[in-house]
Amino acid sequence: MHSSLKSNPSSRLFLNPSKSTSTQYRIFNFPRKLSSYKSLRTSVDVQREGVSKEEEELVLPSNVTRRKLPIVIKTSGKVSRYFLKGDSLELVCAGKDDDDTTSFSHVGLLKLIKLSSSAAKDFFIPKQVSDSYISYVKWKFLHRVFSSALQVLATQAMFRAIGIGQSRSLASSAAFNWILKDGLGRLSRCIYTASLASAFDTNLKRVRFSTSVLFSLSIGVELMTPVFPRYFLLLASIANIAKQISLSCYLATGSAVHRSFAVADNLGEVSAKAQIQTVCFDNLGLLLAVLLNMLFQNNQRLQASLPFVLYPIFSTIDLLGIYQGLKHINLQTLTKNRLEIILERWIQSRQVPSPAEVSKEEGVDLLGSRASKRVWPIRIGCLDPKAQIPELSMMAMQSLCNDDRYFITTEVSSQGFRRTPRPAIVIYLREGANSVDVITSLLQTCYIREAFVTNRFKRKDASFSDLTLQDWSLLEGESKVAARDDFNELYKQMQEQGWIVKNVLLSAEEQVRYIFDQHRPLTL
């Protein structure tokens, strides 16, 4: 046996625990016979401090003596406290009185409303989510209700186009919706998902809203089938393809949206609540469509024109709900555009913005015009062969060495409808570059652009004729030193703000890498 156990008297408990009756510590002085107690098994939150006024209003019978314990239980809007009565443990609810025989009063009604609202919140809302989740669900409610109502009206119009009666079409709309999801629509869904796989991560909000607009237009196409019954199959197929494309985007981006709200890694709970919300909101939309049809069932002409009257109203509310809901999605993943916003704010104020601040500035950006409006836009990828390559950029490429993980160059490309030549900065990433290299290269490029904008090149149509190779080398060297000096503090603040810095999500064009060849200066 170990010598420390022989010489230490306090280790007798570990030598022969069955014969040991007491030690020098009071915590081990157990009684010979344990008192029975009432076992409570619960999964609710326990609070020891900060008892509210409601929790103090615990009404107890006056004929018994209980010892109040400093533990309060909160669950589903109900507040309870533990009491010790003799050798038993009791859990007493707030406002509970054994002698209470009063009738239902206004106070009881308020408590019932509060209890019902709390139960509804627990049913629809996860316990631990970000602050913007409630606002997101409110806009989602508008989106799902009116979208579901529109789908029922559109399906009903399609049945009318092929000659099925009014009452029968309303009853079988749900079954026909499932039939339309097969065939050509599913094939188009697979092709679309494969072609835009990376865009679901880098441009989530833009892709999701654009496909929502496409979904709304598909409903409009379905509503046109009674007007052109001869082209029913063509119109139905076009609408089905658009719906399948929108559905693929919704499913592909759903996990990223749910993860942005799961602040406690409770992704499963957030996803489950989202399914509950979708089912309940869609059923409300179905009910709304049924009520509208019942309201105008005696006027067949008005009932036939009802979808055309409601379509612009419902689709506008639907798209408004989607657009506003996307604004409340604060993604913590890094993309080139989000990282550029962060680095610009860092250069200006030496502070890293939060995901909510970046989301507000980023917006939906439906047309992708935010980056094109910048002076000296930054691009990650390779040089465009059709663009004008300045001489200093070609000289910089020739001076590339084996230790470089990236290099920065410039180009003059034509962008926009007018195809106006504009100077731009391009970042080349080497094969094997990680997130640290991406952040460092983009930070250095932002410093270079800041120097261009604030010093010489204040015009959008500025040329490179004023910039010599010596000036470019000096500017690149100073910006590289500044980026390396700022990186540690920048990286630390990004982690503190909740950004996921281990990866930077890039599009297919931004994932192009170069391979350094000592025999040939550059291989793409």
Side-chain angles (χ1 to χ4, degrees):
M1 186 175 294
H2 199 276
S3 60
S4 61
L5 295 178
K6 294 181 180 180
S7 60
N8 190 359
S10 63
S11 63
R12 296 174 183 175
L13 180 66
F14 302 95
L15 293 176
N16 196 349
S18 60
K19 295 183 180 181
S20 177
T21 58
S22 64
T23 66
Q24 58 179 331
Y25 303 106
R26 295 183 59 186
I27 192 173
F28 294 109
N29 291 330
F30 298 106
R32 292 181 179 273
K33 183 178 181 181
L34 296 177
S35 300
S36 60
Y37 61 95
K38 185 179 179 180
S39 176
L40 296 174
R41 180 175 297 177
T42 180
S43 61
V44 297
D45 300 329
V46 179
Q47 177 176 326
R48 297 185 56 92
E49 297 178 356
V51 181
S52 62
K53 181 179 179 181
E54 180 184 5
E55 297 159 9
E56 291 294 342
E57 297 176 354
L58 294 172
V59 181
L60 302 175
S62 58
N63 57 351
V64 295
T65 302
R66 290 189 178 96
R67 180 183 176 185
K68 187 192 301 184
L69 298 178
I71 300 178
V72 174
I73 303 296
K74 291 183 178 180
T75 174
S76 300
K78 184 173 61 177
V79 180
S80 306
R81 182 187 285 275
Y82 280 110
F83 285 85
L84 187 63
K85 180 182 177 182
D87 56 355
S88 63
L89 190 64
E90 294 185 355
L91 185 63
V92 181
C93 299
K96 181 179 179 181
D97 193 346
D98 295 340
D99 299 329
D100 187 14
T101 59
T102 59
S103 60
F104 187 76
S105 62
H106 179 65
V107 178
L109 178 61
L110 293 178
K111 289 185 177 180
L112 178 61
I113 295 175
K114 184 177 180 181
L115 184 62
S116 301
S117 62
S118 178
K121 182 178 180 181
D122 292 340
F123 183 75
F124 286 105
I125 307 299
K127 291 184 179 179
Q128 293 181 323
V129 288
S130 60
D131 298 334
S132 60
Y133 187 76
I134 300 296
S135 300
Y136 168 77
V137 173
K138 292 178 181 178
W139 291 108
K140 179 182 178 181
F141 170 79
L142 286 179
H143 154 54
R144 297 301 308 188
V145 168
F146 289 94
S147 177
S148 177
L150 276 177
Q151 291 182 63
V152 175
L153 294 176
T155 305
Q156 186 178 354
M158 294 175 68
F159 269 95
R160 189 181 298 112
I162 58 178
I164 300 180
Q166 175 74 13
S167 59
R168 182 182 176 186
S169 65
L170 182 62
S172 58
S173 292
F176 193 66
N177 272 327
W178 287 102
I179 298 175
L180 290 178
K181 293 181 181 180
D182 296 333
L184 185 59
R186 291 190 176 184
L187 179 60
S188 302
R189 172 181 168 184
C190 295
I191 297 175
Y192 171 79
T193 305
S195 60
L196 292 180
S198 61
F200 294 135
D201 294 320
T202 56
N203 298 308
L204 185 147
K205 295 183 180 181
R206 184 197 308 172
V207 173
R208 187 154 185 171
F209 185 76
S210 60
T211 53
S212 298
V213 174
L214 186 63
F215 185 86
S216 181
L217 293 176
S218 69
I219 294 179
V221 173
E222 290 179 343
L223 292 176
M224 295 300 295
T225 52
V227 182
F228 304 99
R230 296 179 57 183
Y231 303 100
F232 173 81
L233 183 59
L234 175 62
L235 295 177
S237 300
I238 294 175
N240 189 32
I241 292 174
K243 281 188 173 183
Q244 291 295 328
I245 291 175
S246 180
L247 178 62
S248 66
C249 175
Y250 180 82
L251 296 176
T253 58
S255 59
V257 173
H258 298 157
R259 191 180 296 110
S260 67
F261 295 114
V263 296
D265 292 335
N266 53 337
L267 180 59
E269 181 188 15
V270 174
S271 301
K273 296 294 184 181
Q275 295 182 30
I276 295 175
Q277 297 164 9
T278 300
V279 171
C280 294
F281 297 164
D282 286 355
N283 287 337
L284 290 177
L286 176 63
L287 179 62
L288 176 61
V290 172
L291 292 178
L292 290 173
N293 277 276
M294 294 176 61
L295 184 63
F296 300 100
Q297 62 180 351
N298 295 327
N299 192 333
Q300 294 295 328
R301 180 176 298 179
L302 184 59
Q303 192 175 32
S305 61
L306 181 64
F308 299 98
V309 177
L310 295 179
Y311 171 73
I313 302 175
F314 281 16
S315 61
T316 301
I317 299 176
D318 175 28
L319 294 177
L320 177 63
I322 297 173
Y323 186 83
Q324 294 295 335
L326 290 174
K327 288 184 177 181
H328 294 282
I329 299 175
N330 304 324
L331 300 171
Q332 295 88 19
T333 53
L334 290 176
T335 62
K336 181 260 177 184
N337 293 334
R338 294 188 204 118
L339 188 56
E340 194 172 349
I341 296 174
I342 294 172
L343 297 179
E344 285 182 343
R345 187 76 63 86
W346 167 262
I347 294 175
Q348 295 173 1
S349 61
R350 317 300 294 179
Q351 295 292 329
V352 172
S354 64
E357 295 173 333
V358 173
S359 177
K360 183 178 181 180
E361 184 174 350
E362 181 184 27
V364 178
D365 195 17
L366 180 59
L367 301 177
S369 59
R370 186 182 184 278
S372 60
K373 291 181 180 179
R374 292 178 178 271
V375 179
W376 293 87
I378 299 174
R379 187 171 60 84
I380 299 178
C382 62
L383 286 173
D384 186 4
K386 299 180 181 179
Q388 178 182 351
I389 310 299
E391 184 179 356
L392 63 88
S393 298
M394 292 184 286
M395 297 179 67
M397 296 171 66
Q398 294 177 2
S399 62
L400 192 66
C401 63
N402 189 31
D403 295 332
D404 294 329
R405 304 286 293 178
Y406 62 89
F407 73 92
I408 303 171
T409 184
T410 55
E411 68 177 4
V412 179
S413 59
S414 299
Q415 297 179 353
F417 294 102
R418 298 181 179 179
R419 310 300 296 175
T420 304
R422 294 184 56 191
I425 307 177
V426 183
I427 301 175
Y428 268 76
L429 295 174
R430 186 174 176 175
E431 184 73 23
N434 52 26
S435 61
V436 175
D437 300 323
V438 176
I439 297 174
T440 305
S441 63
L442 196 54
L443 178 59
Q444 180 184 351
T445 309
C446 288
Y447 272 121
I448 294 176
R449 179 170 62 186
E450 185 72 13
F452 282 156
V453 174
T454 57
N455 293 332
R456 320 186 162 195
F457 304 100
K458 295 185 178 180
R459 302 189 318 268
K460 294 183 179 180
D461 57 346
S463 63
F464 298 96
S465 57
D466 296 333
L467 189 65
T468 64
L469 180 60
Q470 183 178 1
D471 294 335
W472 172 259
S473 300
L474 180 62
L475 179 59
E476 187 179 22
E478 291 181 355
S479 61
K480 192 171 186 177
V481 173
R484 290 180 177 178
D485 292 342
D486 291 351
F487 180 79
N488 290 334
E489 181 63 24
L490 171 67
Y491 198 83
K492 179 181 177 182
Q493 287 194 26
M494 291 175 65
Q495 290 179 316
E496 292 174 352
Q497 290 290 349
W499 291 103
I500 303 176
V501 296
K502 61 181 180 180
N503 287 312
V504 178
L505 303 176
L506 301 176
S507 63
E509 294 79 7
E510 295 170 345
Q511 293 177 10
V512 177
R513 298 290 188 268
Y514 77 87
I515 301 174
F516 183 78
D517 193 343
Q518 294 182 356
H519 302 286
R520 289 173 294 179
L522 192 63
T523 302
L524 292 177

